[in-house]
Amino acid sequence: MTSTLEPTTTALPPLKLGSLAVDPAVVLAPMAGITNPAFRTLCREFGAGLYVCEMITTRALVERNEKTLQMVRATPDEQDAFSVQLYGVDPATVGRAVEMLVDEEVAGTRPAHIDLNFGCPVPKVTRKGGGSALPWRRVLFRDIVRAAVRAAKDVPVTVKTRIGIDAEHVTYLDAGRIAQDEGAAAITLHGRTADQLYSGTADWAPIARLVEAVDIPVLGNGDIWEADDALRMVAETGAAGVVIGRGCLGRPWLFGDLAAAFAGTTRRMLPTLREVAAIMHRHAQLLGEEQGELHGCTDFRKHVAWYLKGFSVGSDTRRALAMVSSLDELAGLLDRIPDQPYPIEVLGAPRGRTSPPRPVALPEGWLADRDDPRPPAGAELDVSGG
C-alpha cells in the first residue's frame, strides 16, 4: 500500500474510560448491519481502538431474544475489550440489561465498556421519544443514565447524543452535565441535530463548547472522512478522542491511518485495487465464518459499492459483485478487474447514507414538559441493530 512515514509530534494521549485505556483514542461507532463481529475483526486488524458492536435493544436483551443474544456475543479477540451500545427508554429495563451484561456475562465475557444511545435520529425511534429525542426529557434521561451507571459497577458507561432535536430544541449541554453528574465516564457528541439526519456538514463548534462545559472526556463525531479530519477535529474542539462512523465504510484501513495520525506520523494507506480486492475477500471470508458462506456473501454485497468507490470498474462487473453468492465467485470477479492506483479524488468525500433535513417525528406533546420522568408509551424496541 502506498504510504508515507515521517515523525511528527504525538497528537493525542490515550483515552481513559475508568480503568479502560483506549489507545489510540478512536472508537468505531455502532452501525446497524455493519459493525458485526466480522467487520469489527477486520477493522481491528488495521489499527487499535475501541470497536463497538451494533446497537442492542435493552428490552430484547432482557427478554433474551435469540437474535439479540447472538449479536451481543464477543469474539475471541474481544475478551478483554468488548464494547456494547444499548438503546432503551425505561430506566428499569436499561438497568436490568446492564446487570445481565455485567453480572451474568451474557456476552460470553464481561464487557469492558457500555455506551448508551441517545443519538439515533431515525423516525421509527424518535416518534416514540427514543434516541435523539429522549434527552429533551432531562429527568428521564438522568434516570436512565443513573440506572445504567449503578448497574454497571466498575464497567465504564458512556453516552452518545446529538446537538438536539432541532435548532430550537438544543439538549447537548444539559445532557453533558447530567451525564457527568450521574457518573458517566465520557460523552460523545455528533455535530448535527436530529432533524438534520446526515445532511449537510457537521458543526464541530458545539463539541468545543461541550468540552468547556464538562470535566469528563468529550468525543467528537461527524464528518471524519480521513485521519487528518480527526486531527483537525481534536485541534479545533479539544476533544479527547474521535468516533468514526460512515468514514470507514469500504475503508477499514482508516483505523490504521488514525493510529498513525494519533501516534504523530503522517503514514496514510492508499491501497491499489488489487490490495482492496484482497481486503474485500477477507471481509467476505470473515462474514462467511460467522454466518455461513452464502449468508456471509449475501451480507457482503452492500459493502461492494463502498469498497469500489472511485475505481474504474465496469457496470456489469459491479452488478455481478453485488449479486455474489460464494467466495470463489467473488475471487473470480475481483481477479478480472485490472489493477489501478487508489482514486485520490474520493479522499475526504462523504460516504454512506445521506438524507435531506426533515422535521423530527415526536410523540404528541413530547416537547411540553422537559421534567416528565415517565418513559414514553410503547417506545421500547424489541429488535436490536437499529
Side-chain angles (χ1 to χ4, degrees), residues 79-351:
Q79 295 301 307
D80 296 326
F82 184 52
S83 178
V84 181
Q85 188 187 68
L86 297 177
Y87 164 86
V89 298
D90 179 76
T93 305
V94 171
R96 176 60 187 135
V98 173
E99 286 175 355
M100 291 173 64
L101 290 168
V102 172
D103 296 336
E104 299 179 28
E105 299 188 9
V106 292
T109 187
R110 199 169 189 255
H113 164 249
I114 294 171
D115 186 55
L116 301 178
N117 182 312
F118 298 107
C120 182
V122 176
K124 73 175 182 179
V125 170
T126 61
R127 72 165 46 98
K128 294 182 177 182
S132 52
L134 199 143
W136 180 257
R137 293 287 181 91
R138 56 194 169 198
V139 175
L140 177 60
F141 174 83
R142 178 204 67 191
D143 291 347
I144 292 173
V145 177
R146 178 180 294 175
V149 171
R150 289 180 176 177
K153 300 175 182 174
D154 61 329
V155 174
V157 173
T158 61
V159 168
K160 185 178 181 187
T161 189
R162 285 190 170 225
I163 295 171
I165 293 174
D166 52 37
E168 285 71 48
H169 302 89
V170 171
T171 57
Y172 73 98
L173 289 174
D174 280 345
R177 295 185 185 108
I178 292 169
Q180 174 176 275
D181 290 346
E182 295 305 325
I187 182 169
T188 296
L189 181 60
H190 182 112
R192 288 181 172 88
T193 52
D195 68 330
Q196 290 178 296
L197 296 172
Y198 296 94
S199 65
T201 302
D203 183 3
W204 294 352
I207 299 172
R209 286 194 286 272
L210 185 57
V211 169
E212 292 295 320
V214 299
D215 296 324
I216 59 175
V218 175
L219 308 181
N221 177 227
D223 293 2
I224 299 177
W225 311 115
E226 307 295 337
D228 291 339
D229 295 330
L231 293 178
R232 184 167 56 86
M233 173 182 277
V234 168
E236 291 181 8
T237 68
V242 296
V243 175
I244 306 298
R246 296 174 296 154
C248 68
L249 296 176
R251 298 179 69 225
W253 59 87
L254 178 60
F255 291 97
D257 288 352
L258 289 160
F262 286 155
T265 76
T266 58
R267 179 179 62 84
R268 305 291 183 265
M269 299 182 185
L270 294 173
T272 66
L273 180 56
R274 186 62 51 231
E275 291 168 329
V276 171
I279 296 168
M280 294 172 70
H281 194 271
R282 171 65 174 157
H283 191 170
Q285 181 184 40
L286 288 167
L287 285 168
E289 292 172 0
E290 177 188 324
Q291 305 175 23
E293 185 171 356
L294 176 58
H295 288 295
C297 287
T298 300
D299 193 6
F300 176 75
R301 295 171 184 172
K302 61 175 171 279
H303 295 271
V304 168
W306 295 324
Y307 276 113
L308 297 181
K309 184 179 177 69
F311 283 110
S312 179
V313 179
S315 58
D316 289 347
T317 302
R318 287 178 181 270
R319 189 160 40 247
L321 284 166
M323 299 174 64
V324 71
S325 57
S326 74
L327 291 172
D328 287 344
E329 181 185 2
L330 174 63
L333 288 167
L334 292 172
D335 283 344
R336 297 177 201 168
I337 307 172
D339 198 16
Q340 52 193 278
Y342 194 81
I344 59 174
E345 63 272 13
V346 305
L347 296 176
R351 310 177 74 83

